[in-house]
Amino acid sequence: MAEFFSMGGYAAYVWPAYGVAAVFLMGMLVASLRGLRRHEALLKTLETSRPRRRDRNRRDGARAPSAPAPSGLPAAEGHEG
């Protein structure tokens, strides 16, 4: 077991490299979680400050999903619409 931890004489280089990598990865994890929480709080604030939009189908009257929405543009040639 001691031979494993001595890393064939390179332990002075290998273990600090592992330590630096672990510290860097932990820092990235902490920064990511903080950013996630900050963005979730911002989203919650924005959602509560603005009224919710109604669904287009509800506003236009409960059309069947297969019925095309009126667009004001002529249908493409060869297509119904």
Side-chain angles (χ1 to χ4, degrees):
M1 187 63 105
E3 190 174 318
F4 171 74
F5 287 113
S6 71
M7 296 282 177
Y10 295 103
Y13 304 104
V14 173
W15 291 112
Y18 281 157
V20 168
V23 168
F24 180 75
L25 290 173
M26 290 301 294
M28 288 183 61
L29 176 67
V30 169
S32 296
L33 291 175
R34 283 183 181 173
L36 174 67
R37 290 195 179 107
R38 185 176 63 244
H39 285 98
E40 284 176 341
L42 176 62
L43 178 63
K44 186 176 180 180
T45 302
L46 291 173
E47 284 179 340
T48 58
S49 68
R50 294 183 179 176
R52 224 182 134 121
R53 289 185 177 184
R54 294 190 313 178
D55 189 6
R56 172 180 245 176
N57 289 339
R58 286 185 182 171
R59 186 181 65 216
D60 293 343
R63 283 194 318 253
S66 61
S71 65
L73 297 175
E77 190 173 316
H79 294 89
E80 294 182 24

